[in-house]
Amino acid sequence: VANNADAAFEGAAECVGRIIAFIFGPLMIFLGPLMVVLALGIIGLLSYVFFAIVLPMLAGPEGIFGLNGLLHISIVAFILTNVLYNYYKCLVVKNDNCTAQYREVVRELAVATGVQYPESGEEMETFRLNYEKKMKERADERRQRGKETARQVQLDRKIGQEDSQANIGLRRRPSGTTDKAGTKSVQSEPPPPRRSAKIPAWMLLGPEEWGWCTHSVQPKPPRSHYDTVTKGLVLNMDHYCPWTFNSVGYFNYRYFVTFVTHVFFGMIYSLYVAYRPFMNRNGELYEQNIRLSRQAGHATTQHMIPYVPTPEERLILGVAYVFVILTFLGVGYLFYFHLRLVLSAQTTIEERGNTNRRQAAEKAGKRWSNPHSLGYESNWQMVFGTLHPLVAIMPSSRQPEFLPMPVNGKLIRRGKFKGGMKESVGCNVV
């Protein structure tokens, strides 16, 4: 009964997952341009509030072209340049298998990992059949291990029950016998073993093993995944980002992390410089500023007191500051999360799978470590290259310096295996 219930639950969960994927893809295609416009609108709003309201307050009597004003203009210009450039690159740099750069990197990775990349239809079919055979064997082995583990658990439970009864001086009566009171005893049966949890096929592969993508009908390199929104196989896929209307993966992950980094520090700067004007939107100073403007004979309220907004400014200033707080909280978490991923050589997808592997190893009394991780420095270089970190996060259109994964415990520079590559063919479109 338990096994049937588990099977029914897994079937229902898979059905729900397919329905969500069917709805999610078209929904993201529809919302994508709107999210991009919204993101640019927020950037525009915050920029306007800074230059039109906050900057004159920061500049003081010298004006915005004084030393203090120019300093703040330089800081904001630097942040805006990096934010807009990296956001643009997140939008336009594609990761899917229909690009020439994808085909080049994939074939070089095949040479580095010792895989003969199939080019003809016959070679593709042979590759697929070998993969399916291998995965069936792996799945059978996993089921067998699950059965053996379940039998061992039942045996341990039975021994534990017998030891417990022996310790309190009880004897197990045969099933069906009756005691002095005429009560029939029934020997309890251990619960049936639970079915092994269904896991993605890529988690059955080794760190350098290739799979097969049934969606794009082609070999699936290590660390790659099919994106159901952009309909392409993505190297080192991290996630689909609706704010960039694009998948985040090997070719644009550096831009994404750099974008998040500059937005995060931009929000910290905004929280600091706009704090006093925001807090002075109400209260005695705000009322006093209005009275002083009237006493001076001004037709409209002026900035009679430093860092106090006028009635025309306070609403938009308040709205902008709320956006800053919300963006700081959301992007702050993203900054922490992706910095941790970069330094641990993981993607968002891998982080979830690796957590399951780590927990399973701990239950078995073993230790599991990420095979792609080579230490903080090498992990950083896998994404940002060998430039100094402060230089690496500056605007640049350079492509990734290394292949998407280490091979035999070492980073491999792109171009090293070009001599052993065959001429690539076009992508498969399904």
Side-chain angles (χ1 to χ4, degrees):
V1 176
N3 284 343
N4 291 336
D6 288 343
F9 176 79
E10 289 182 3
E14 184 175 355
C15 181
V16 171
R18 290 180 180 273
I19 294 174
I20 293 175
F22 177 78
I23 298 174
F24 179 79
L27 181 63
M28 288 299 99
I29 294 296
F30 172 75
L31 291 179
L34 300 179
M35 300 288 280
V36 173
V37 172
L38 178 59
L40 294 175
I42 294 174
I43 295 173
L45 170 66
L46 299 184
S47 300
Y48 169 79
V49 170
F50 172 79
F51 286 106
I53 300 175
V54 178
L55 179 60
M57 298 181 186
L58 297 172
E62 297 180 356
I64 61 174
F65 295 109
L67 181 61
N68 198 35
L70 290 176
L71 174 63
H72 286 285
I73 289 176
S74 300
I75 294 174
V76 173
F78 172 80
I79 294 174
L80 267 179
T81 300
N82 280 278
V83 167
L84 291 174
Y85 176 81
N86 286 288
Y87 185 62
Y88 168 76
K89 298 299 282 188
C90 286
L91 287 171
V92 301
V93 174
K94 303 302 180 183
N95 288 286
D96 61 76
N97 54 285
C98 288
T99 61
Q101 59 183 8
Y102 173 92
R103 297 194 293 271
E104 178 182 320
V105 171
V106 162
R107 282 157 177 80
E108 190 172 357
L109 181 62
V111 176
T113 54
V115 172
Q116 182 66 44
Y117 194 90
E119 300 292 354
S120 66
E122 183 180 351
E123 290 175 345
M124 287 281 187
E125 182 64 12
T126 301
F127 190 99
R128 181 186 67 83
L129 293 175
N130 290 338
Y131 165 76
E132 291 178 351
K133 178 181 178 181
K134 175 173 62 178
M135 295 307 293
K136 183 179 183 304
E137 293 173 351
R138 299 270 176 93
D140 292 342
E141 291 174 2
R142 185 172 182 271
R143 275 193 294 270
Q144 184 61 31
R145 288 196 302 269
K147 292 179 181 179
E148 293 174 357
T149 301
R151 283 196 293 267
Q152 186 61 43
V153 169
Q154 290 180 355
L155 178 61
D156 293 343
R157 185 185 294 117
K158 182 177 180 181
I159 293 174
Q161 291 175 347
E162 292 176 350
D163 291 344
S164 177
Q165 291 176 352
N167 290 336
I168 62 176
L170 296 178
R171 294 181 179 274
R172 184 184 297 275
R173 292 189 297 272
S175 176
T177 61
T178 57
D179 56 16
K180 293 181 179 180
T183 303
K184 190 173 183 178
S185 71
V186 179
Q187 185 171 344
S188 61
E189 295 292 335
R194 291 180 59 86
R195 289 182 53 174
S196 298
K198 196 172 183 179
I199 65 173
W202 63 270
M203 291 186 64
L204 295 176
L205 296 171
E208 297 181 8
E209 284 189 295
W210 288 57
W212 177 263
C213 179
T214 57
H215 300 282
S216 58
V217 194
Q218 63 181 296
K220 185 179 180 183
R223 307 189 73 186
S224 65
H225 299 276
Y226 183 79
D227 181 19
T228 57
V229 180
T230 60
K231 306 298 182 184
L233 188 59
V234 179
L235 286 170
N236 289 22
M237 180 176 175
D238 189 87
H239 67 287
Y240 174 82
C241 179
W243 292 99
T244 63
F245 195 34
N246 197 4
S247 60
V248 177
Y250 174 68
F251 292 105
N252 66 354
Y253 186 58
R254 176 175 66 86
Y255 299 121
F256 177 80
V257 176
T258 307
F259 167 73
V260 168
T261 300
H262 285 97
V263 170
F264 174 66
F265 285 103
M267 293 305 100
I268 293 177
Y269 170 80
S270 301
L271 288 172
Y272 173 73
V273 299
Y275 176 75
R276 287 175 64 185
F278 175 76
M279 296 302 294
N280 289 334
R281 291 178 308 111
N282 298 291
E284 178 60 28
L285 288 178
Y286 176 76
E287 299 297 336
Q288 184 180 353
N289 189 66
I290 296 176
R291 288 195 300 268
L292 291 175
S293 296
R294 290 174 179 172
Q295 292 172 4
H298 296 294
T300 59
T301 304
Q302 304 297 310
H303 295 103
M304 308 302 291
I305 302 176
Y307 298 101
V308 177
T310 65
E312 295 79 15
E313 296 170 342
R314 73 170 187 164
L315 176 61
I316 191 172
L317 176 63
V319 171
Y321 203 80
V322 169
F323 271 118
V324 169
I325 294 173
L326 296 177
T327 305
F328 168 76
L329 295 175
V331 175
Y333 171 75
L334 282 179
F335 171 74
Y336 159 76
F337 180 71
H338 283 282
L339 181 62
R340 184 167 63 86
L341 291 183
V342 169
L343 296 179
S344 59
Q346 300 180 99
T347 65
T348 297
I349 297 174
E350 291 171 344
E351 194 266 347
R352 297 170 185 171
N354 291 343
T355 298
N356 294 334
R357 287 167 167 165
R358 189 176 296 107
Q359 292 174 348
E362 290 175 354
K363 290 180 180 179
K366 300 178 181 178
R367 182 181 177 183
W368 183 89
S369 60
N370 179 13
H372 300 308
S373 180
L374 304 179
Y376 292 151
E377 182 178 359
S378 294
N379 294 344
W380 171 274
Q381 292 175 351
M382 205 182 308
V383 176
F384 287 91
T386 54
L387 294 175
H388 188 280
L390 294 180
V391 178
I393 63 174
M394 294 297 104
S396 171
S397 61
R398 69 186 188 280
Q399 289 195 14
E401 187 174 337
F402 297 98
L403 291 180
M405 52 174 279
V407 179
N408 296 326
K410 295 181 180 180
L411 294 180
I412 306 297
R413 290 186 183 275
R414 289 177 57 185
K416 182 176 180 180
F417 293 100
K418 275 190 175 181
M421 294 164 50
K422 292 183 179 180
E423 184 178 354
S424 63
V425 296
C427 69
N428 295 325
V429 180
V430 179

